[in-house]
Amino acid sequence: MQKKDNTTLYSASDIVSFLDCEHKTTLDLIDLETPLPKTEDDEEAILYQKKGLEHEGSYVKHLKRTAPVFVDISPAKNDTDATALTIEAMCSGADIIYQAAFIEQPFIGHADFLKKVPCPSSLGDYSYEVVDTKLARNTKSKFIIQLCFYSELLGRVQRRDPLMMHVVLGDGREESFRYADYSKYYAMLKERFINRVKYGYKDTYPEKHDHCDICRWRNICEDQWIKDDHLNQVANISRVQIKRLEAGGVSTLKSLANIKSNANMPKMMPETLNKLRRQASLQLKKRQSGQNHYELLPLDLERKRGFARLPRPDKGDIFFDMESDSMDIDGLEYLFGVYYFEKGKPVFMPIWAHNRSEEKDAFIKFMDFAVRRLRKHPDAHIYHYGQYEEAALKKLMSLHGTHEAEVDNLLRFGRLIDLYSLWKG
């Protein structure tokens, strides 16, 4: 959101934010009149932004090499000039228009690219379609909303809705979508958004979402949750469970911790309620004493749950973790962390990789080590946390064309033990 000449202009990001979290829209509206304290981006967010710009820059270089006429709008002094230059470039028939700008009150948009396509419009025997670059490796729903936002504004200028809209992902793949398949949903969303911002201030309450970690207002919301002792502070609680507890008259972590052990809650299994109560109780004790507390759950040998699902310990056991560079276009597996015991003493063996060739060498080194150790200790296992390590080994086996039989044997004979799945089970 921005104010320009006493007019409020809204961007694609504002509509996406409204879809994700109406409370963010409330805070954005307040900030327009009374500036609020923003949460500073952390190093990871700054790095992600940098990588995103590098990805966009790489695509710019590619288009400059391949497009006969490439027009860059970014040097424009202001949004008004940028909009005029965009229309001028469209009328001239440029093949690619970079940083295209559109203003149609109350909306302002800056599309990464417009590409010329052979579909007639008011411009002539051609028209344009929107192309956006994203560092992610998979198209997300918010990308589609942003593309619809730009495509609608573009359609108003050329008096023809674009047939397709495109996103270039972090791994270089381009995915295309029919604008008509999403335009009606987008129109309804935009209407809801317009009605919301016309209403002005609304007493909304923050709900925890996946995007909270990158929201500029997250500190404000977190302070509110702490002040209200909100249930979302209970570890591993779901939004559905929170709603059911609130409907049953339990609205804070403290009240959940203090309910009776034999209490009942509508639409909630007693076992689930008891698990949440005990978790809240441990956190309340930590808050009151300043010390960590834990509770050992009884072994469930009959149903084989939790620790009962673990194989017997073996002196040859391996504890394994992998780290991938999520900012790298190809997702380089840069570290294989291996922890084991040799003659009763702990050993940590890091295997590093800084490029694809070293990644292959690291994969081979780890697999050779694992095969030798499991051959020496037939009852040993490889422990990891989460599904990532198993998926990564399969990927590297296929990518580098080596150790297929060895990876298959790890899976076939149950040598990989996912501790997270044991805990969840």
Side-chain angles (χ1 to χ4, degrees):
M1 296 181 188
Q2 59 175 288
K3 275 203 168 184
K4 189 172 185 178
D5 301 327
N6 295 319
T7 299
T8 303
L9 296 175
Y10 305 101
S11 68
S13 297
D14 294 323
I15 296 182
V16 169
S17 295
F18 171 72
L19 179 62
D20 285 337
C21 175
E22 186 177 351
H23 188 67
K24 183 177 184 303
T25 301
T26 296
L27 295 176
D28 287 342
L29 289 169
I30 294 173
D31 185 62
L32 281 176
E33 304 300 331
T34 307
L36 296 172
K38 297 179 177 64
T39 304
E40 296 293 330
D41 289 333
D42 58 21
E43 292 183 357
E44 183 176 0
I46 293 172
L47 178 60
Y48 195 85
Q49 294 165 9
K50 178 184 176 182
K51 290 292 184 178
L53 292 174
E54 290 176 357
H55 173 48
E56 180 181 307
S58 176
Y59 192 62
V60 166
K61 292 178 181 178
H62 164 71
L63 292 176
K64 283 184 175 180
R65 291 194 303 267
T66 57
V69 181
F70 181 99
V71 176
D72 184 356
I73 305 298
S74 60
K77 295 180 180 179
N78 52 57
D79 292 328
T80 301
D81 288 351
T83 301
L85 289 171
T86 297
I87 295 173
E88 180 182 323
M90 291 173 65
C91 292
S92 71
D95 296 284
I96 296 291
I97 303 173
Y98 176 48
Q99 290 295 303
F102 304 99
I103 297 179
E104 183 175 313
Q105 294 185 358
F107 296 109
I108 181 170
H110 296 88
D112 287 348
F113 304 92
L114 302 180
K115 73 173 181 179
K116 183 179 177 182
V117 293
C119 294
S121 68
S122 64
L123 302 170
D125 61 355
Y126 63 91
S127 58
Y128 288 90
E129 293 175 351
V130 177
V131 182
D132 241 5
T133 55
K134 299 294 182 184
L135 192 59
R137 296 188 183 92
N138 296 292
T139 299
K140 302 178 182 179
S141 58
K142 64 181 180 180
F143 301 167
I144 303 293
I145 298 301
Q146 290 173 320
L147 288 170
C148 286
F149 180 94
Y150 302 133
S151 294
E152 182 186 46
L153 294 177
L154 169 62
R156 300 284 176 85
V157 175
Q158 63 187 18
R159 297 182 184 177
R160 175 197 175 109
D161 286 340
L163 177 63
M164 305 296 290
M165 46 192 190
H166 317 269
V167 58
V168 178
L169 298 168
D171 58 5
R173 289 181 298 116
E174 180 175 324
E175 294 187 347
S176 301
F177 306 88
R178 284 175 53 86
Y179 172 61
D181 290 345
Y182 304 91
S183 59
K184 290 183 179 179
Y185 171 79
Y186 168 72
M188 291 189 292
L189 173 61
K190 186 183 74 170
E191 183 178 2
R192 285 173 49 207
F193 173 78
I194 291 174
N195 291 335
R196 171 65 186 87
V197 295
K198 278 183 179 179
Y199 186 89
Y201 177 77
K202 187 177 178 181
D203 190 16
T204 55
Y205 192 86
E207 299 292 343
K208 189 169 284 189
H209 298 276
D210 291 340
H211 70 274
C212 287
D213 290 341
I214 59 173
C215 179
R216 60 182 175 176
W217 309 128
R218 61 183 179 274
N219 285 353
I220 294 176
C221 296
E222 287 171 359
D223 289 344
Q224 183 75 48
W225 293 329
I226 293 172
K227 176 185 175 183
D228 297 342
D229 193 24
H230 198 282
L231 284 169
N232 65 19
Q233 297 176 92
V234 179
N236 303 310
I237 195 170
S238 71
R239 293 177 66 180
V240 171
Q241 290 168 342
I242 289 175
K243 289 181 179 179
R244 290 176 179 173
L245 287 168
E246 289 175 339
V250 177
S251 59
T252 65
L253 182 149
K254 185 176 181 179
S255 61
L256 175 58
N258 290 328
I259 62 173
K260 296 180 179 179
S261 59
N262 60 349
N264 291 311
M265 192 66 56
K267 298 183 180 180
M268 184 174 288
M269 296 289 291
E271 182 182 357
T272 301
L273 176 60
N274 191 44
K275 181 178 179 180
L276 293 172
R277 178 189 64 79
R278 291 156 77 179
Q279 177 62 45
S281 177
L282 290 172
Q283 292 182 229
L284 182 61
K285 288 179 181 178
K286 165 67 180 292
R287 182 188 301 172
Q288 294 171 339
S289 68
Q291 301 294 321
N292 289 322
H293 294 266
Y294 64 89
E295 179 182 340
L296 284 177
L297 300 177
L299 287 175
D300 191 345
L301 297 176
E302 182 178 344
R303 288 190 291 174
K304 284 283 186 179
R305 301 183 65 183
F307 291 153
R309 297 173 62 189
L310 284 169
R312 296 183 68 83
D314 187 272
K315 63 181 180 180
D317 286 336
I318 299 170
F319 303 90
F320 179 48
D321 183 45
M322 293 181 69
E323 295 295 337
S324 172
D325 184 358
S326 60
M327 304 296 178
D328 182 79
I329 291 178
D330 298 320
L332 182 74
E333 306 294 342
Y334 69 87
L335 175 60
F336 297 64
V338 185
Y339 186 89
Y340 60 99
F341 287 86
E342 193 68 57
K343 297 181 180 179
K345 295 183 178 180
V347 178
F348 176 65
M349 178 175 67
I351 310 174
W352 292 91
H354 301 89
N355 52 53
R356 191 61 74 198
S357 176
E358 290 183 7
E359 178 191 72
K360 179 179 180 179
D361 293 340
F363 171 63
I364 292 172
K365 182 176 180 179
F366 168 73
M367 287 303 304
D368 287 346
F369 167 80
V371 168
R372 287 195 308 269
R373 190 163 180 86
L374 294 177
R375 188 177 294 133
K376 182 178 179 181
H377 302 278
D379 295 324
H381 294 82
I382 301 174
Y383 294 88
H384 59 98
Y385 189 80
Q387 296 180 343
Y388 185 81
E389 281 72 21
E390 179 178 328
L393 291 177
K394 291 177 184 176
K395 180 192 77 173
L396 294 175
M397 169 193 76
S398 176
L399 177 65
H400 297 300
T402 182
H403 287 64
E404 293 92 339
E406 289 82 354
V407 172
D408 184 63
N409 285 335
L410 292 181
L411 303 175
R412 186 191 304 273
F413 297 109
R415 293 303 190 101
L416 292 173
I417 305 297
D418 179 5
L419 294 171
Y420 180 76
S421 68
L422 295 180
W423 172 76
K424 291 292 286 186

